[in-house]
Amino acid sequence: MTRPVEAPPPSLPRGLRVAAIVSLLFSAPTGFLALSESLGLGQLEEHREAAKNSPPPSFSLMGDPAIDARITQAQYNALAPHRESRALVLGMLSVVCAFVFVSAGRLLRPDGLPLERMRRMLVVSTIAAAVLRTIDGAQWAVVARRMAPTLVEAMKGMPAFQGPNSAEELGVVTWLMPAISMAFTAAVAGVFALLGQYFQSDTVRHAISAQDGALTEEED
């Protein structure tokens, strides 16, 4: 008498797998960049002094190494008052993104672990990432706003901004820099917030419950 073939455990819905992959793709670079900047802020003064004493580079982003140096110093000066608080936020963001990455990876490859635990971790970590990324973006918008006058002053001497409409064009820079920062922040933080809402939805709860039930039956 042949043994009946057991049905394979139900696979995760396609939408849930896509959401887990998106979590991996967003958490990895966000966490890496946050960790890199957080470590760099710990040596902000060393970097600022090194930039002052280093020879001008062969390649200039603005077409003049002196202008590049002024913009770099303006960035360091704008970051200095917020160094401790920004390093704390970025450090927390990198840790939270690590939790997002691990829990999303475990959803895709559970290896016998209960998925409900990973789902709960994803809900908390993605929402926390959205909040911290929003704070990070607000801090960087302040830095960009403080850098804008230096950038505008440096650009006034460039040949491209000597026309009759140069004053209006340069005036756009003062609000464009923080606006770009806030738009990018809204996009990234919004994705994390949407992921958090999705992972705590009833659809995901039922799918995870069915998957965990199948794994428990296999173990029994």
PDB file of all heavy atoms in Angstrom, residues 83-117:
ATOM      1  N   ARG A  83      25.897  67.417  15.424  1.00  0.00           N
ATOM      2  CA  ARG A  83      26.687  66.198  15.254  1.00  0.00           C
ATOM      3  C   ARG A  83      26.206  65.086  16.176  1.00  0.00           C
ATOM      4  O   ARG A  83      25.982  63.953  15.731  1.00  0.00           O
ATOM      5  CB  ARG A  83      28.164  66.490  15.510  1.00  0.00           C
ATOM      6  CG  ARG A  83      29.073  65.287  15.343  1.00  0.00           C
ATOM      7  CD  ARG A  83      30.522  65.662  15.557  1.00  0.00           C
ATOM      8  NE  ARG A  83      30.754  66.206  16.887  1.00  0.00           N
ATOM      9  CZ  ARG A  83      31.934  66.634  17.325  1.00  0.00           C
ATOM     10  NH1 ARG A  83      32.978  66.608  16.508  1.00  0.00           N
ATOM     11  NH2 ARG A  83      32.064  67.091  18.541  1.00  0.00           N
ATOM     12  N   GLU A  84      26.050  65.357  17.478  1.00  0.00           N
ATOM     13  CA  GLU A  84      25.690  64.305  18.427  1.00  0.00           C
ATOM     14  C   GLU A  84      24.284  63.765  18.173  1.00  0.00           C
ATOM     15  O   GLU A  84      24.082  62.550  18.116  1.00  0.00           O
ATOM     16  CB  GLU A  84      25.803  64.818  19.867  1.00  0.00           C
ATOM     17  CG  GLU A  84      27.220  65.090  20.338  1.00  0.00           C
ATOM     18  CD  GLU A  84      27.760  66.422  19.840  1.00  0.00           C
ATOM     19  OE1 GLU A  84      26.962  67.199  19.247  1.00  0.00           O
ATOM     20  OE2 GLU A  84      28.954  66.689  20.042  1.00  0.00           O
ATOM     21  N   SER A  85      23.330  64.678  18.027  1.00  0.00           N
ATOM     22  CA  SER A  85      21.950  64.231  17.827  1.00  0.00           C
ATOM     23  C   SER A  85      21.789  63.499  16.503  1.00  0.00           C
ATOM     24  O   SER A  85      21.086  62.485  16.411  1.00  0.00           O
ATOM     25  CB  SER A  85      20.992  65.419  17.882  1.00  0.00           C
ATOM     26  OG  SER A  85      21.296  66.366  16.872  1.00  0.00           O
ATOM     27  N   ARG A  86      22.474  63.996  15.459  1.00  0.00           N
ATOM     28  CA  ARG A  86      22.355  63.336  14.151  1.00  0.00           C
ATOM     29  C   ARG A  86      23.042  61.975  14.174  1.00  0.00           C
ATOM     30  O   ARG A  86      22.528  61.010  13.590  1.00  0.00           O
ATOM     31  CB  ARG A  86      22.971  64.225  13.079  1.00  0.00           C
ATOM     32  CG  ARG A  86      22.841  63.649  11.675  1.00  0.00           C
ATOM     33  CD  ARG A  86      22.986  64.712  10.614  1.00  0.00           C
ATOM     34  NE  ARG A  86      22.945  64.116   9.283  1.00  0.00           N
ATOM     35  CZ  ARG A  86      21.844  63.677   8.690  1.00  0.00           C
ATOM     36  NH1 ARG A  86      20.682  63.780   9.310  1.00  0.00           N
ATOM     37  NH2 ARG A  86      21.875  63.146   7.484  1.00  0.00           N
ATOM     38  N   ALA A  87      24.182  61.861  14.843  1.00  0.00           N
ATOM     39  CA  ALA A  87      24.855  60.569  14.932  1.00  0.00           C
ATOM     40  C   ALA A  87      23.985  59.564  15.670  1.00  0.00           C
ATOM     41  O   ALA A  87      23.936  58.372  15.306  1.00  0.00           O
ATOM     42  CB  ALA A  87      26.194  60.721  15.643  1.00  0.00           C
ATOM     43  N   LEU A  88      23.257  60.011  16.702  1.00  0.00           N
ATOM     44  CA  LEU A  88      22.368  59.123  17.442  1.00  0.00           C
ATOM     45  C   LEU A  88      21.224  58.632  16.564  1.00  0.00           C
ATOM     46  O   LEU A  88      20.914  57.438  16.532  1.00  0.00           O
ATOM     47  CB  LEU A  88      21.823  59.843  18.672  1.00  0.00           C
ATOM     48  CG  LEU A  88      20.798  59.073  19.526  1.00  0.00           C
ATOM     49  CD1 LEU A  88      21.432  57.807  20.085  1.00  0.00           C
ATOM     50  CD2 LEU A  88      20.258  59.948  20.638  1.00  0.00           C
ATOM     51  N   VAL A  89      20.601  59.554  15.842  1.00  0.00           N
ATOM     52  CA  VAL A  89      19.491  59.184  14.959  1.00  0.00           C
ATOM     53  C   VAL A  89      19.955  58.221  13.876  1.00  0.00           C
ATOM     54  O   VAL A  89      19.305  57.206  13.591  1.00  0.00           O
ATOM     55  CB  VAL A  89      18.859  60.447  14.337  1.00  0.00           C
ATOM     56  CG1 VAL A  89      17.871  60.067  13.233  1.00  0.00           C
ATOM     57  CG2 VAL A  89      18.161  61.266  15.399  1.00  0.00           C
ATOM     58  N   LEU A  90      21.097  58.521  13.264  1.00  0.00           N
ATOM     59  CA  LEU A  90      21.614  57.660  12.194  1.00  0.00           C
ATOM     60  C   LEU A  90      22.013  56.292  12.722  1.00  0.00           C
ATOM     61  O   LEU A  90      21.805  55.271  12.053  1.00  0.00           O
ATOM     62  CB  LEU A  90      22.808  58.339  11.517  1.00  0.00           C
ATOM     63  CG  LEU A  90      22.479  59.589  10.695  1.00  0.00           C
ATOM     64  CD1 LEU A  90      23.758  60.282  10.260  1.00  0.00           C
ATOM     65  CD2 LEU A  90      21.632  59.230   9.487  1.00  0.00           C
ATOM     66  N   GLY A  91      22.596  56.245  13.928  1.00  0.00           N
ATOM     67  CA  GLY A  91      22.941  54.955  14.510  1.00  0.00           C
ATOM     68  C   GLY A  91      21.716  54.109  14.777  1.00  0.00           C
ATOM     69  O   GLY A  91      21.695  52.898  14.495  1.00  0.00           O
ATOM     70  N   MET A  92      20.664  54.731  15.328  1.00  0.00           N
ATOM     71  CA  MET A  92      19.423  54.012  15.568  1.00  0.00           C
ATOM     72  C   MET A  92      18.791  53.557  14.256  1.00  0.00           C
ATOM     73  O   MET A  92      18.260  52.440  14.158  1.00  0.00           O
ATOM     74  CB  MET A  92      18.456  54.896  16.351  1.00  0.00           C
ATOM     75  CG  MET A  92      18.908  55.222  17.763  1.00  0.00           C
ATOM     76  SD  MET A  92      17.849  56.464  18.558  1.00  0.00           S
ATOM     77  CE  MET A  92      16.268  55.615  18.554  1.00  0.00           C
ATOM     78  N   LEU A  93      18.864  54.409  13.238  1.00  0.00           N
ATOM     79  CA  LEU A  93      18.297  54.045  11.935  1.00  0.00           C
ATOM     80  C   LEU A  93      19.019  52.847  11.336  1.00  0.00           C
ATOM     81  O   LEU A  93      18.383  51.955  10.752  1.00  0.00           O
ATOM     82  CB  LEU A  93      18.372  55.246  10.992  1.00  0.00           C
ATOM     83  CG  LEU A  93      17.848  55.035   9.562  1.00  0.00           C
ATOM     84  CD1 LEU A  93      16.392  54.611   9.572  1.00  0.00           C
ATOM     85  CD2 LEU A  93      18.022  56.309   8.740  1.00  0.00           C
ATOM     86  N   SER A  94      20.338  52.799  11.468  1.00  0.00           N
ATOM     87  CA  SER A  94      21.082  51.660  10.926  1.00  0.00           C
ATOM     88  C   SER A  94      20.717  50.364  11.634  1.00  0.00           C
ATOM     89  O   SER A  94      20.596  49.308  10.998  1.00  0.00           O
ATOM     90  CB  SER A  94      22.587  51.927  11.033  1.00  0.00           C
ATOM     91  OG  SER A  94      22.995  51.995  12.388  1.00  0.00           O
ATOM     92  N   VAL A  95      20.506  50.432  12.955  1.00  0.00           N
ATOM     93  CA  VAL A  95      20.119  49.235  13.708  1.00  0.00           C
ATOM     94  C   VAL A  95      18.720  48.772  13.297  1.00  0.00           C
ATOM     95  O   VAL A  95      18.469  47.575  13.081  1.00  0.00           O
ATOM     96  CB  VAL A  95      20.183  49.507  15.215  1.00  0.00           C
ATOM     97  CG1 VAL A  95      19.599  48.337  16.005  1.00  0.00           C
ATOM     98  CG2 VAL A  95      21.620  49.751  15.655  1.00  0.00           C
ATOM     99  N   VAL A  96      17.800  49.720  13.195  1.00  0.00           N
ATOM    100  CA  VAL A  96      16.429  49.382  12.812  1.00  0.00           C
ATOM    101  C   VAL A  96      16.395  48.772  11.411  1.00  0.00           C
ATOM    102  O   VAL A  96      15.672  47.797  11.154  1.00  0.00           O
ATOM    103  CB  VAL A  96      15.541  50.633  12.892  1.00  0.00           C
ATOM    104  CG1 VAL A  96      14.209  50.393  12.202  1.00  0.00           C
ATOM    105  CG2 VAL A  96      15.307  51.028  14.347  1.00  0.00           C
ATOM    106  N   CYS A  97      17.170  49.330  10.493  1.00  0.00           N
ATOM    107  CA  CYS A  97      17.218  48.786   9.133  1.00  0.00           C
ATOM    108  C   CYS A  97      17.788  47.368   9.130  1.00  0.00           C
ATOM    109  O   CYS A  97      17.391  46.537   8.298  1.00  0.00           O
ATOM    110  CB  CYS A  97      18.058  49.690   8.231  1.00  0.00           C
ATOM    111  SG  CYS A  97      17.216  51.218   7.746  1.00  0.00           S
ATOM    112  N   ALA A  98      18.706  47.085  10.037  1.00  0.00           N
ATOM    113  CA  ALA A  98      19.232  45.727  10.154  1.00  0.00           C
ATOM    114  C   ALA A  98      18.125  44.758  10.565  1.00  0.00           C
ATOM    115  O   ALA A  98      18.039  43.630  10.050  1.00  0.00           O
ATOM    116  CB  ALA A  98      20.380  45.695  11.159  1.00  0.00           C
ATOM    117  N   PHE A  99      17.256  45.188  11.490  1.00  0.00           N
ATOM    118  CA  PHE A  99      16.120  44.355  11.890  1.00  0.00           C
ATOM    119  C   PHE A  99      15.157  44.142  10.728  1.00  0.00           C
ATOM    120  O   PHE A  99      14.628  43.039  10.541  1.00  0.00           O
ATOM    121  CB  PHE A  99      15.388  44.981  13.076  1.00  0.00           C
ATOM    122  CG  PHE A  99      16.018  44.692  14.407  1.00  0.00           C
ATOM    123  CD1 PHE A  99      16.759  45.659  15.063  1.00  0.00           C
ATOM    124  CD2 PHE A  99      15.879  43.450  15.008  1.00  0.00           C
ATOM    125  CE1 PHE A  99      17.351  45.403  16.286  1.00  0.00           C
ATOM    126  CE2 PHE A  99      16.466  43.174  16.232  1.00  0.00           C
ATOM    127  CZ  PHE A  99      17.200  44.151  16.874  1.00  0.00           C
ATOM    128  N   VAL A 100      14.922  45.197   9.947  1.00  0.00           N
ATOM    129  CA  VAL A 100      14.065  45.065   8.766  1.00  0.00           C
ATOM    130  C   VAL A 100      14.651  44.052   7.799  1.00  0.00           C
ATOM    131  O   VAL A 100      13.949  43.166   7.282  1.00  0.00           O
ATOM    132  CB  VAL A 100      13.877  46.430   8.064  1.00  0.00           C
ATOM    133  CG1 VAL A 100      13.089  46.257   6.763  1.00  0.00           C
ATOM    134  CG2 VAL A 100      13.165  47.413   8.976  1.00  0.00           C
ATOM    135  N   PHE A 101      15.945  44.161   7.551  1.00  0.00           N
ATOM    136  CA  PHE A 101      16.604  43.278   6.582  1.00  0.00           C
ATOM    137  C   PHE A 101      16.537  41.821   7.034  1.00  0.00           C
ATOM    138  O   PHE A 101      16.192  40.921   6.250  1.00  0.00           O
ATOM    139  CB  PHE A 101      18.057  43.712   6.407  1.00  0.00           C
ATOM    140  CG  PHE A 101      18.778  43.001   5.297  1.00  0.00           C
ATOM    141  CD1 PHE A 101      18.722  43.493   4.002  1.00  0.00           C
ATOM    142  CD2 PHE A 101      19.500  41.849   5.539  1.00  0.00           C
ATOM    143  CE1 PHE A 101      19.382  42.844   2.965  1.00  0.00           C
ATOM    144  CE2 PHE A 101      20.157  41.191   4.513  1.00  0.00           C
ATOM    145  CZ  PHE A 101      20.099  41.686   3.222  1.00  0.00           C
ATOM    146  N   VAL A 102      16.847  41.562   8.310  1.00  0.00           N
ATOM    147  CA  VAL A 102      16.875  40.191   8.821  1.00  0.00           C
ATOM    148  C   VAL A 102      15.475  39.589   8.830  1.00  0.00           C
ATOM    149  O   VAL A 102      15.266  38.449   8.387  1.00  0.00           O
ATOM    150  CB  VAL A 102      17.502  40.153  10.219  1.00  0.00           C
ATOM    151  CG1 VAL A 102      17.340  38.764  10.848  1.00  0.00           C
ATOM    152  CG2 VAL A 102      18.977  40.523  10.151  1.00  0.00           C
ATOM    153  N   SER A 103      14.498  40.333   9.346  1.00  0.00           N
ATOM    154  CA  SER A 103      13.145  39.784   9.437  1.00  0.00           C
ATOM    155  C   SER A 103      12.528  39.576   8.055  1.00  0.00           C
ATOM    156  O   SER A 103      11.823  38.585   7.828  1.00  0.00           O
ATOM    157  CB  SER A 103      12.252  40.691  10.290  1.00  0.00           C
ATOM    158  OG  SER A 103      12.299  42.030   9.834  1.00  0.00           O
ATOM    159  N   ALA A 104      12.796  40.488   7.099  1.00  0.00           N
ATOM    160  CA  ALA A 104      12.288  40.291   5.739  1.00  0.00           C
ATOM    161  C   ALA A 104      12.946  39.084   5.088  1.00  0.00           C
ATOM    162  O   ALA A 104      12.293  38.310   4.381  1.00  0.00           O
ATOM    163  CB  ALA A 104      12.534  41.544   4.905  1.00  0.00           C
ATOM    164  N   GLY A 105      14.241  38.909   5.332  1.00  0.00           N
ATOM    165  CA  GLY A 105      14.919  37.735   4.789  1.00  0.00           C
ATOM    166  C   GLY A 105      14.379  36.437   5.365  1.00  0.00           C
ATOM    167  O   GLY A 105      14.249  35.433   4.647  1.00  0.00           O
ATOM    168  N   ARG A 106      14.019  36.462   6.647  1.00  0.00           N
ATOM    169  CA  ARG A 106      13.461  35.270   7.275  1.00  0.00           C
ATOM    170  C   ARG A 106      12.059  34.959   6.781  1.00  0.00           C
ATOM    171  O   ARG A 106      11.640  33.801   6.770  1.00  0.00           O
ATOM    172  CB  ARG A 106      13.451  35.431   8.800  1.00  0.00           C
ATOM    173  CG  ARG A 106      14.801  35.165   9.438  1.00  0.00           C
ATOM    174  CD  ARG A 106      15.272  33.770   9.119  1.00  0.00           C
ATOM    175  NE  ARG A 106      16.498  33.413   9.825  1.00  0.00           N
ATOM    176  CZ  ARG A 106      17.154  32.270   9.645  1.00  0.00           C
ATOM    177  NH1 ARG A 106      16.700  31.385   8.773  1.00  0.00           N
ATOM    178  NH2 ARG A 106      18.257  32.018  10.316  1.00  0.00           N
ATOM    179  N   LEU A 107      11.331  35.998   6.373  1.00  0.00           N
ATOM    180  CA  LEU A 107      10.022  35.726   5.776  1.00  0.00           C
ATOM    181  C   LEU A 107      10.163  34.944   4.477  1.00  0.00           C
ATOM    182  O   LEU A 107       9.372  34.050   4.177  1.00  0.00           O
ATOM    183  CB  LEU A 107       9.282  37.038   5.506  1.00  0.00           C
ATOM    184  CG  LEU A 107       8.406  37.629   6.609  1.00  0.00           C
ATOM    185  CD1 LEU A 107       7.619  38.810   6.069  1.00  0.00           C
ATOM    186  CD2 LEU A 107       7.466  36.595   7.196  1.00  0.00           C
ATOM    187  N   LEU A 108      11.184  35.299   3.713  1.00  0.00           N
ATOM    188  CA  LEU A 108      11.402  34.619   2.437  1.00  0.00           C
ATOM    189  C   LEU A 108      12.012  33.241   2.628  1.00  0.00           C
ATOM    190  O   LEU A 108      11.727  32.307   1.880  1.00  0.00           O
ATOM    191  CB  LEU A 108      12.314  35.480   1.549  1.00  0.00           C
ATOM    192  CG  LEU A 108      11.737  36.841   1.138  1.00  0.00           C
ATOM    193  CD1 LEU A 108      12.792  37.677   0.429  1.00  0.00           C
ATOM    194  CD2 LEU A 108      10.515  36.665   0.248  1.00  0.00           C
ATOM    195  N   ARG A 109      12.884  33.093   3.632  1.00  0.00           N
ATOM    196  CA  ARG A 109      13.525  31.807   3.927  1.00  0.00           C
ATOM    197  C   ARG A 109      13.431  31.541   5.432  1.00  0.00           C
ATOM    198  O   ARG A 109      14.371  31.805   6.173  1.00  0.00           O
ATOM    199  CB  ARG A 109      14.982  31.814   3.470  1.00  0.00           C
ATOM    200  CG  ARG A 109      15.153  31.919   1.967  1.00  0.00           C
ATOM    201  CD  ARG A 109      16.609  31.843   1.557  1.00  0.00           C
ATOM    202  NE  ARG A 109      16.781  31.879   0.124  1.00  0.00           N
ATOM    203  CZ  ARG A 109      16.717  30.828  -0.680  1.00  0.00           C
ATOM    204  NH1 ARG A 109      16.487  29.636  -0.164  1.00  0.00           N
ATOM    205  NH2 ARG A 109      16.882  30.954  -1.981  1.00  0.00           N
ATOM    206  N   PRO A 110      12.290  31.027   5.888  1.00  0.00           N
ATOM    207  CA  PRO A 110      12.082  30.883   7.341  1.00  0.00           C
ATOM    208  C   PRO A 110      12.948  29.820   7.999  1.00  0.00           C
ATOM    209  O   PRO A 110      13.278  29.938   9.179  1.00  0.00           O
ATOM    210  CB  PRO A 110      10.596  30.531   7.444  1.00  0.00           C
ATOM    211  CG  PRO A 110      10.247  29.936   6.119  1.00  0.00           C
ATOM    212  CD  PRO A 110      11.109  30.634   5.112  1.00  0.00           C
ATOM    213  N   ASP A 111      13.286  28.749   7.274  1.00  0.00           N
ATOM    214  CA  ASP A 111      14.088  27.664   7.847  1.00  0.00           C
ATOM    215  C   ASP A 111      13.486  27.120   9.141  1.00  0.00           C
ATOM    216  O   ASP A 111      14.181  26.861  10.124  1.00  0.00           O
ATOM    217  CB  ASP A 111      15.530  28.127   8.115  1.00  0.00           C
ATOM    218  CG  ASP A 111      16.275  28.413   6.820  1.00  0.00           C
ATOM    219  OD1 ASP A 111      15.894  27.835   5.784  1.00  0.00           O
ATOM    220  OD2 ASP A 111      17.222  29.218   6.842  1.00  0.00           O
ATOM    221  N   GLY A 112      12.168  26.996   9.141  1.00  0.00           N
ATOM    222  CA  GLY A 112      11.489  26.411  10.289  1.00  0.00           C
ATOM    223  C   GLY A 112      11.121  27.384  11.382  1.00  0.00           C
ATOM    224  O   GLY A 112      10.463  26.985  12.353  1.00  0.00           O
ATOM    225  N   LEU A 113      11.528  28.641  11.285  1.00  0.00           N
ATOM    226  CA  LEU A 113      11.188  29.625  12.311  1.00  0.00           C
ATOM    227  C   LEU A 113       9.734  30.077  12.143  1.00  0.00           C
ATOM    228  O   LEU A 113       9.226  30.141  11.019  1.00  0.00           O
ATOM    229  CB  LEU A 113      12.118  30.835  12.219  1.00  0.00           C
ATOM    230  CG  LEU A 113      13.580  30.613  12.582  1.00  0.00           C
ATOM    231  CD1 LEU A 113      14.379  31.886  12.335  1.00  0.00           C
ATOM    232  CD2 LEU A 113      13.715  30.193  14.038  1.00  0.00           C
ATOM    233  N   PRO A 114       9.051  30.388  13.248  1.00  0.00           N
ATOM    234  CA  PRO A 114       7.675  30.900  13.141  1.00  0.00           C
ATOM    235  C   PRO A 114       7.655  32.261  12.450  1.00  0.00           C
ATOM    236  O   PRO A 114       8.356  33.191  12.857  1.00  0.00           O
ATOM    237  CB  PRO A 114       7.211  30.990  14.602  1.00  0.00           C
ATOM    238  CG  PRO A 114       8.456  31.026  15.408  1.00  0.00           C
ATOM    239  CD  PRO A 114       9.477  30.240  14.660  1.00  0.00           C
ATOM    240  N   LEU A 115       6.855  32.374  11.406  1.00  0.00           N
ATOM    241  CA  LEU A 115       6.820  33.607  10.624  1.00  0.00           C
ATOM    242  C   LEU A 115       6.097  34.740  11.342  1.00  0.00           C
ATOM    243  O   LEU A 115       6.344  35.906  11.045  1.00  0.00           O
ATOM    244  CB  LEU A 115       6.157  33.340   9.273  1.00  0.00           C
ATOM    245  CG  LEU A 115       6.863  32.346   8.347  1.00  0.00           C
ATOM    246  CD1 LEU A 115       6.148  32.270   7.014  1.00  0.00           C
ATOM    247  CD2 LEU A 115       8.309  32.757   8.137  1.00  0.00           C
ATOM    248  N   GLU A 116       5.196  34.404  12.262  1.00  0.00           N
ATOM    249  CA  GLU A 116       4.467  35.448  12.970  1.00  0.00           C
ATOM    250  C   GLU A 116       5.418  36.335  13.760  1.00  0.00           C
ATOM    251  O   GLU A 116       5.231  37.564  13.839  1.00  0.00           O
ATOM    252  CB  GLU A 116       3.428  34.823  13.908  1.00  0.00           C
ATOM    253  CG  GLU A 116       2.683  35.814  14.788  1.00  0.00           C
ATOM    254  CD  GLU A 116       1.875  36.830  13.983  1.00  0.00           C
ATOM    255  OE1 GLU A 116       1.606  36.600  12.784  1.00  0.00           O
ATOM    256  OE2 GLU A 116       1.513  37.863  14.565  1.00  0.00           O
ATOM    257  N   ARG A 117       6.450  35.749  14.312  1.00  0.00           N
ATOM    258  CA  ARG A 117       7.437  36.537  15.040  1.00  0.00           C
ATOM    259  C   ARG A 117       8.175  37.488  14.101  1.00  0.00           C
ATOM    260  O   ARG A 117       8.437  38.645  14.438  1.00  0.00           O
ATOM    261  CB  ARG A 117       8.427  35.611  15.735  1.00  0.00           C
ATOM    262  CG  ARG A 117       9.390  36.309  16.687  1.00  0.00           C
ATOM    263  CD  ARG A 117      10.324  35.286  17.311  1.00  0.00           C
ATOM    264  NE  ARG A 117       9.583  34.223  17.989  1.00  0.00           N
ATOM    265  CZ  ARG A 117      10.137  33.099  18.425  1.00  0.00           C
ATOM    266  NH1 ARG A 117      11.432  32.882  18.247  1.00  0.00           N
ATOM    267  NH2 ARG A 117       9.409  32.196  19.040  1.00  0.00           N
TER     268      ARG A 117
END
